Amino acid sequence: MLRPQVLHVQELIRLRRARRQRAQRSLALRVLSALGLGLGVVSMLAAVVALAAAPLYDYISEDLPPVQQLAILLDPEQGQLREPTRFLDREGNLLFVLAPEGFEERSFIAPGESPLLAAAVVASLDADFYLHSGLQLSDPAATEGLAEKLVADLLAADRASTSANRVRVRLLAAQALEEYGHEQILAWVLNSANFGKGAIGAASAAQLYFGKAADQLSLAEAAMLAGVIEAPALNPIDAFELAQRRQQAVLLAMLDQGLINQQAATEALVEELVIRPDLGLALGAAPEFARLAIRQAEALLGKTRLERGGLSIQTSLDGDLQ
Protein backbone atom coordinates (compact mmCIF):
# COMPACT_ATOMS: atom_id res chain seq x y z
CA MET A 1 0.00 0.00 0.00
CA LEU A 2 2.94 2.32 0.57
CA ARG A 3 4.47 1.72 -2.84
CA PRO A 4 1.93 3.77 -4.86
CA GLN A 5 2.26 6.61 -2.38
CA VAL A 6 6.03 6.60 -2.82
CA LEU A 7 5.61 6.53 -6.56
CA HIS A 8 3.15 9.39 -6.38
CA VAL A 9 5.53 11.52 -4.35
CA GLN A 10 8.42 10.77 -6.69
CA GLU A 11 6.28 11.58 -9.71
CA LEU A 12 5.15 14.82 -8.10
CA ILE A 13 8.77 15.81 -7.48
CA ARG A 14 9.65 14.92 -11.07
CA LEU A 15 6.78 16.98 -12.45
CA ARG A 16 7.66 19.96 -10.28
CA ARG A 17 11.26 19.76 -11.43
CA ALA A 18 10.13 19.58 -15.04
CA ARG A 19 7.88 22.63 -14.62
CA ARG A 20 10.71 24.52 -12.91
CA GLN A 21 13.12 23.64 -15.71
CA ARG A 22 10.60 24.74 -18.34
CA ALA A 23 10.06 27.99 -16.46
CA GLN A 24 13.82 28.56 -16.22
CA ARG A 25 14.24 27.87 -19.94
CA SER A 26 11.40 30.26 -20.70
CA LEU A 27 12.96 32.92 -18.48
CA ALA A 28 16.33 32.39 -20.12
CA LEU A 29 14.78 32.78 -23.56
CA ARG A 30 13.05 35.98 -22.47
CA VAL A 31 16.29 37.33 -21.00
CA LEU A 32 18.24 36.46 -24.14
CA SER A 33 15.56 38.06 -26.25
CA ALA A 34 15.62 41.16 -24.09
CA LEU A 35 19.39 41.25 -24.20
CA GLY A 36 19.33 40.95 -27.95
CA LEU A 37 16.89 43.80 -28.17
CA GLY A 38 18.88 45.75 -25.59
CA LEU A 39 22.14 45.23 -27.44
CA GLY A 40 20.47 46.31 -30.63
CA VAL A 41 19.22 49.47 -28.94
CA VAL A 42 22.64 50.08 -27.35
CA SER A 43 24.32 49.61 -30.71
CA MET A 44 21.93 52.06 -32.29
CA LEU A 45 22.48 54.53 -29.46
CA ALA A 46 26.24 54.09 -29.73
CA ALA A 47 26.05 54.79 -33.44
CA VAL A 48 23.96 57.89 -32.83
CA VAL A 49 26.33 59.08 -30.09
CA ALA A 50 29.31 58.44 -32.34
CA LEU A 51 27.75 60.45 -35.15
CA ALA A 52 26.89 63.26 -32.75
CA ALA A 53 30.35 63.18 -31.15
CA ALA A 54 32.24 63.30 -34.43
CA PRO A 55 31.88 67.08 -34.88
CA LEU A 56 32.87 67.61 -31.24
CA TYR A 57 35.96 65.43 -31.68
CA ASP A 58 36.85 67.31 -34.86
CA TYR A 59 36.48 70.59 -33.00
CA ILE A 60 38.69 69.44 -30.13
CA SER A 61 41.37 67.82 -32.25
CA GLU A 62 41.49 70.08 -35.30
CA ASP A 63 44.33 72.29 -34.06
CA LEU A 64 46.25 69.79 -31.94
CA PRO A 65 50.01 69.91 -32.50
CA PRO A 66 51.51 66.59 -33.63
CA VAL A 67 52.97 64.53 -30.78
CA GLN A 68 55.97 63.89 -33.04
CA GLN A 69 57.19 67.34 -32.00
CA LEU A 70 58.26 65.78 -28.70
CA ALA A 71 60.82 63.65 -30.50
CA ILE A 72 62.10 66.72 -32.34
CA LEU A 73 62.44 68.78 -29.19
CA LEU A 74 64.05 66.03 -27.12
CA ASP A 75 66.13 64.07 -29.59
CA PRO A 76 69.26 62.94 -27.66
CA GLU A 77 71.61 64.12 -30.42
CA GLN A 78 69.99 67.11 -32.10
CA GLY A 79 66.96 68.00 -30.00
CA GLN A 80 66.11 71.69 -29.88
CA LEU A 81 66.01 71.62 -26.09
CA ARG A 82 69.58 70.37 -25.81
CA GLU A 83 70.64 74.03 -25.87
CA PRO A 84 69.58 76.74 -23.40
CA THR A 85 68.23 80.01 -24.79
CA ARG A 86 70.95 82.04 -26.51
CA PHE A 87 71.06 85.84 -26.68
CA LEU A 88 72.80 87.38 -29.71
CA ASP A 89 73.99 90.88 -30.56
CA ARG A 90 72.63 92.80 -33.55
CA GLU A 91 75.08 91.04 -35.87
CA GLY A 92 74.08 87.59 -34.70
CA ASN A 93 77.13 86.98 -32.52
CA LEU A 94 76.64 85.18 -29.21
CA LEU A 95 76.38 87.46 -26.18
CA PHE A 96 75.49 84.97 -23.45
CA VAL A 97 73.60 81.77 -22.77
CA LEU A 98 70.72 81.69 -20.29
CA ALA A 99 72.28 79.03 -18.08
CA PRO A 100 74.72 78.77 -15.19
CA GLU A 101 78.35 78.89 -16.22
CA GLY A 102 79.48 75.53 -17.54
CA PHE A 103 75.94 74.47 -18.47
CA GLU A 104 75.85 75.87 -21.99
CA GLU A 105 74.83 72.47 -23.41
CA ARG A 106 72.54 69.88 -21.90
CA SER A 107 72.81 66.11 -21.94
CA PHE A 108 69.91 63.69 -21.86
CA ILE A 109 69.60 60.51 -19.82
CA ALA A 110 67.43 57.38 -19.95
CA PRO A 111 65.38 56.37 -16.87
CA GLY A 112 67.58 53.29 -16.47
CA GLU A 113 70.65 55.49 -16.01
CA SER A 114 69.16 57.01 -12.87
CA PRO A 115 66.61 54.48 -11.57
CA LEU A 116 66.34 56.09 -8.13
CA LEU A 117 65.41 59.44 -9.63
CA ALA A 118 63.00 57.83 -12.10
CA ALA A 119 61.28 55.94 -9.29
CA ALA A 120 61.12 59.06 -7.11
CA VAL A 121 59.54 61.11 -9.91
CA VAL A 122 56.90 58.49 -10.65
CA ALA A 123 56.11 57.94 -6.96
CA SER A 124 55.69 61.63 -6.20
CA LEU A 125 54.03 62.87 -9.39
CA ASP A 126 52.11 59.96 -10.91
CA ALA A 127 51.95 56.75 -8.88
CA ASP A 128 49.68 55.11 -11.49
CA PHE A 129 51.87 56.14 -14.42
CA TYR A 130 52.43 52.61 -15.72
CA LEU A 131 48.71 51.84 -15.49
CA HIS A 132 47.70 54.69 -17.80
CA SER A 133 46.65 53.60 -21.26
CA GLY A 134 44.37 55.51 -23.55
CA LEU A 135 42.31 58.61 -22.98
CA GLN A 136 41.28 59.28 -19.37
CA LEU A 137 38.12 61.39 -19.23
CA SER A 138 36.32 59.94 -16.22
CA ASP A 139 37.40 62.71 -13.85
CA PRO A 140 38.06 66.06 -15.54
CA ALA A 141 39.40 67.46 -12.25
CA ALA A 142 41.93 64.64 -11.77
CA THR A 143 45.54 65.58 -11.18
CA GLU A 144 47.48 65.53 -14.42
CA GLY A 145 49.81 62.60 -14.92
CA LEU A 146 53.35 62.65 -16.25
CA ALA A 147 52.29 62.30 -19.88
CA GLU A 148 49.79 65.13 -19.50
CA LYS A 149 52.36 67.31 -17.77
CA LEU A 150 54.82 66.67 -20.58
CA VAL A 151 52.48 67.62 -23.42
CA ALA A 152 51.02 70.53 -21.44
CA ASP A 153 54.49 71.99 -20.88
CA LEU A 154 55.95 71.34 -24.32
CA LEU A 155 53.03 71.29 -26.75
CA ALA A 156 50.24 73.29 -25.13
CA ALA A 157 51.94 75.77 -22.82
CA ASP A 158 50.40 78.75 -24.64
CA ARG A 159 46.82 77.49 -24.29
CA ALA A 160 44.46 78.83 -21.65
CA SER A 161 43.43 76.44 -18.89
CA THR A 162 39.89 75.79 -20.13
CA SER A 163 37.91 72.55 -20.02
CA ALA A 164 38.30 72.10 -23.78
CA ASN A 165 42.04 72.59 -23.60
CA ARG A 166 42.33 70.14 -20.70
CA VAL A 167 40.60 67.57 -22.89
CA ARG A 168 43.03 68.42 -25.70
CA VAL A 169 45.97 67.85 -23.36
CA ARG A 170 44.58 64.48 -22.30
CA LEU A 171 44.04 63.50 -25.91
CA LEU A 172 47.63 64.43 -26.75
CA ALA A 173 48.89 62.52 -23.72
CA ALA A 174 47.01 59.41 -24.80
CA GLN A 175 48.45 59.71 -28.32
CA ALA A 176 51.96 60.15 -26.94
CA LEU A 177 51.67 57.11 -24.67
CA GLU A 178 50.31 54.98 -27.48
CA GLU A 179 52.99 56.02 -29.96
CA TYR A 180 56.07 56.16 -27.74
CA GLY A 181 55.35 54.08 -24.64
CA HIS A 182 55.82 54.75 -20.94
CA GLU A 183 59.61 54.54 -20.77
CA GLN A 184 60.11 57.11 -23.51
CA ILE A 185 57.57 59.47 -21.96
CA LEU A 186 59.32 59.15 -18.59
CA ALA A 187 62.68 59.83 -20.24
CA TRP A 188 61.32 62.98 -21.84
CA VAL A 189 59.87 64.13 -18.53
CA LEU A 190 63.24 63.66 -16.81
CA ASN A 191 65.09 65.52 -19.55
CA SER A 192 62.71 68.46 -19.88
CA ALA A 193 61.70 69.08 -16.26
CA ASN A 194 62.54 72.44 -14.72
CA PHE A 195 64.59 71.90 -11.55
CA GLY A 196 65.12 75.59 -10.83
CA LYS A 197 68.18 77.88 -11.04
CA GLY A 198 68.36 77.38 -14.82
CA ALA A 199 68.73 73.60 -14.53
CA ILE A 200 66.55 71.96 -17.18
CA GLY A 201 66.70 68.18 -17.16
CA ALA A 202 67.95 65.68 -14.60
CA ALA A 203 71.56 65.64 -15.83
CA SER A 204 71.91 69.40 -15.38
CA ALA A 205 70.14 69.34 -12.01
CA ALA A 206 72.38 66.61 -10.60
CA GLN A 207 75.49 68.55 -11.59
CA LEU A 208 74.18 71.95 -10.52
CA TYR A 209 73.06 70.98 -7.02
CA PHE A 210 75.27 68.01 -6.13
CA GLY A 211 78.21 68.19 -8.55
CA LYS A 212 77.73 64.63 -9.79
CA ALA A 213 76.25 62.69 -12.67
CA ALA A 214 72.61 61.64 -12.48
CA ASP A 215 73.55 57.96 -12.27
CA GLN A 216 75.53 58.68 -9.09
CA LEU A 217 72.67 60.22 -7.11
CA SER A 218 71.88 58.74 -3.73
CA LEU A 219 68.28 58.00 -2.75
CA ALA A 220 68.19 61.17 -0.62
CA GLU A 221 69.49 63.32 -3.49
CA ALA A 222 67.12 61.75 -6.02
CA ALA A 223 64.14 62.35 -3.73
CA MET A 224 65.13 65.99 -3.26
CA LEU A 225 65.35 66.57 -7.02
CA ALA A 226 62.00 64.86 -7.59
CA GLY A 227 60.44 67.18 -5.04
CA VAL A 228 61.71 70.26 -6.89
CA ILE A 229 59.90 69.49 -10.17
CA GLU A 230 56.50 70.72 -8.99
CA ALA A 231 57.96 73.89 -7.46
CA PRO A 232 61.29 74.88 -9.08
CA ALA A 233 61.54 77.98 -6.88
CA LEU A 234 61.75 75.69 -3.83
CA ASN A 235 65.11 74.29 -4.85
CA PRO A 236 67.89 73.37 -2.41
CA ILE A 237 69.91 76.52 -3.17
CA ASP A 238 67.15 79.10 -2.75
CA ALA A 239 65.00 77.31 -0.16
CA PHE A 240 66.82 74.35 1.37
CA GLU A 241 64.44 73.74 4.28
CA LEU A 242 61.37 73.71 2.04
CA ALA A 243 63.17 71.49 -0.46
CA GLN A 244 64.00 69.14 2.40
CA ARG A 245 60.34 68.94 3.42
CA ARG A 246 59.37 68.05 -0.11
CA GLN A 247 62.15 65.46 -0.17
CA GLN A 248 60.68 63.85 2.94
CA ALA A 249 57.25 63.69 1.30
CA VAL A 250 58.77 61.96 -1.75
CA LEU A 251 60.54 59.39 0.42
CA LEU A 252 57.33 58.63 2.31
CA ALA A 253 55.48 58.21 -0.99
CA MET A 254 58.13 55.76 -2.20
CA LEU A 255 57.86 53.86 1.08
CA ASP A 256 54.06 53.71 0.92
CA GLN A 257 54.20 52.38 -2.63
CA GLY A 258 56.70 49.67 -1.73
CA LEU A 259 59.51 51.10 -3.87
CA ILE A 260 61.89 51.31 -0.90
CA ASN A 261 61.96 49.65 2.51
CA GLN A 262 61.90 51.30 5.92
CA GLN A 263 65.67 51.08 6.40
CA ALA A 264 66.40 52.79 3.08
CA ALA A 265 63.87 55.51 3.85
CA THR A 266 65.32 56.12 7.33
CA GLU A 267 68.88 56.31 6.02
CA ALA A 268 67.86 58.75 3.29
CA LEU A 269 65.96 60.94 5.75
CA VAL A 270 69.02 61.41 7.96
CA GLU A 271 71.60 61.73 5.16
CA GLU A 272 73.37 65.08 5.22
CA LEU A 273 73.29 66.59 1.75
CA VAL A 274 76.09 68.78 0.45
CA ILE A 275 74.69 71.42 -1.93
CA ARG A 276 76.96 73.27 -4.33
CA PRO A 277 77.06 77.08 -4.04
CA ASP A 278 75.02 79.16 -6.43
CA LEU A 279 76.92 79.46 -9.72
CA GLY A 280 74.73 82.24 -11.07
CA LEU A 281 74.20 83.09 -14.71
CA ALA A 282 77.15 83.81 -16.98
CA LEU A 283 75.93 87.13 -18.43
CA GLY A 284 78.95 88.03 -20.56
CA ALA A 285 80.62 91.41 -20.99
CA ALA A 286 77.44 93.50 -20.59
CA PRO A 287 75.66 92.10 -17.52
CA GLU A 288 73.26 95.04 -17.02
CA PHE A 289 72.17 94.92 -20.65
CA ALA A 290 71.83 91.13 -20.33
CA ARG A 291 69.51 91.47 -17.33
CA LEU A 292 67.39 94.02 -19.21
CA ALA A 293 67.19 91.72 -22.24
CA ILE A 294 66.14 88.80 -20.02
CA ARG A 295 63.38 90.85 -18.37
CA GLN A 296 62.02 91.99 -21.73
CA ALA A 297 62.16 88.46 -23.13
CA GLU A 298 60.33 87.13 -20.06
CA ALA A 299 57.61 89.73 -20.54
CA LEU A 300 57.12 88.62 -24.15
CA LEU A 301 57.57 84.86 -23.88
CA GLY A 302 57.15 84.01 -20.22
CA LYS A 303 59.89 82.89 -17.86
CA THR A 304 59.06 79.19 -18.22
CA ARG A 305 59.34 79.20 -22.01
CA LEU A 306 62.52 81.23 -21.89
CA GLU A 307 64.22 78.90 -19.42
CA ARG A 308 63.17 75.79 -21.32
CA GLY A 309 65.63 76.72 -24.07
CA GLY A 310 65.95 76.07 -27.77
CA LEU A 311 65.60 79.78 -28.62
CA SER A 312 67.96 82.31 -30.20
CA ILE A 313 67.06 85.90 -29.35
CA GLN A 314 68.68 88.73 -31.24
CA THR A 315 69.15 91.97 -29.32
CA SER A 316 70.00 95.54 -30.33
CA LEU A 317 73.44 95.50 -28.70
CA ASP A 318 76.40 96.46 -30.89
CA GLY A 319 78.91 93.88 -29.77
CA ASP A 320 81.95 95.62 -31.27
CA LEU A 321 81.06 98.96 -29.72
CA GLN A 322 80.39 97.36 -26.35
Side-chain angles (χ1 to χ4, degrees):
M1 297 294 293
L2 291 176
R3 187 69 177 172
Q5 187 178 9
V6 171
L7 289 174
H8 175 71
V9 172
Q10 289 177 339
E11 181 67 15
L12 183 61
I13 292 173
R14 187 185 66 80
L15 291 173
R16 287 178 176 175
R17 285 177 176 172
R19 284 198 300 269
R20 187 162 56 247
Q21 289 172 352
R22 286 196 299 271
Q24 289 173 343
R25 285 196 295 269
S26 177
L27 177 61
L29 289 172
R30 291 197 302 270
V31 170
L32 287 174
S33 178
L35 282 175
L37 177 62
L39 289 173
V41 172
V42 170
S43 298
M44 293 176 62
L45 288 175
V48 171
V49 170
L51 289 173
L56 177 60
Y57 177 84
D58 291 340
Y59 165 73
I60 291 175
S61 62
E62 65 178 352
D63 61 343
L64 288 179
V67 294
Q68 291 78 12
Q69 285 187 14
L70 294 171
I72 296 174
L73 292 171
L74 293 162
D75 180 80
E77 301 298 329
Q78 299 179 343
Q80 295 178 13
L81 299 190
R82 278 186 58 88
E83 289 189 353
T85 295
R86 299 155 56 88
F87 283 79
L88 314 175
D89 68 12
R90 65 173 62 182
E91 302 298 330
N93 301 310
L94 180 65
L95 285 177
F96 66 94
V97 176
L98 190 64
E101 189 170 359
F103 289 78
E104 289 79 8
E105 186 173 339
R106 300 163 179 164
S107 59
F108 291 164
I109 65 168
E113 295 179 59
S114 188
L116 290 176
L117 179 58
V121 169
V122 171
S124 60
L125 297 180
D126 191 357
D128 296 327
F129 174 64
Y130 287 101
L131 301 178
H132 297 325
S133 60
L135 184 60
Q136 306 289 328
L137 292 177
S138 56
D139 184 3
T143 303
E144 66 178 8
L146 288 176
E148 293 171 13
K149 176 176 173 56
L150 179 71
V151 299
D153 289 346
L154 299 187
L155 302 183
D158 58 343
R159 296 172 181 265
S161 181
T162 64
S163 297
N165 284 336
R166 284 193 291 273
V167 173
R168 289 184 173 97
V169 165
R170 292 191 176 192
L171 181 58
L172 280 172
Q175 292 176 357
L177 279 171
E178 181 178 358
E179 181 156 348
Y180 296 106
H182 292 80
E183 285 301 305
Q184 184 62 77
I185 296 299
L186 179 56
W188 285 339
V189 169
L190 292 175
N191 292 317
S192 64
N194 185 347
F195 290 89
K197 304 300 292 184
I200 303 296
S204 295
Q207 287 289 348
L208 182 69
Y209 294 118
F210 303 113
K212 59 175 64 175
D215 60 357
Q216 297 176 343
L217 292 171
S218 68
L219 174 58
E221 293 165 340
M224 178 162 283
L225 289 186
V228 173
I229 292 178
E230 281 192 298
L234 305 182
N235 59 74
I237 289 178
D238 291 333
F240 180 78
E241 290 185 1
L242 293 176
Q244 196 170 41
R245 291 181 192 174
R246 298 181 71 85
Q247 172 215 39
Q248 294 166 359
V250 173
L251 289 169
L252 291 177
M254 296 179 74
L255 179 62
D256 289 341
Q257 296 169 35
L259 299 176
I260 57 175
N261 57 33
Q262 184 64 61
Q263 181 180 352
T266 301
E267 292 175 354
L269 286 169
V270 299
E271 180 179 331
E272 292 189 14
L273 300 181
V274 178
I275 309 299
R276 295 182 68 184
D278 189 356
L279 298 178
L281 296 175
L283 298 179
E288 291 304 320
F289 179 87
R291 294 187 183 93
L292 175 61
I294 292 171
R295 288 196 297 271
Q296 291 181 346
E298 286 179 353
L300 290 172
L301 302 172
K303 184 176 181 179
T304 300
R305 178 64 191 94
L306 197 65
E307 290 181 341
R308 187 179 305 136
L311 301 174
S312 291
I313 299 176
Q314 192 165 13
T315 70
S316 60
L317 185 71
D318 186 326
D320 293 335
L321 181 60
Q322 180 65 31

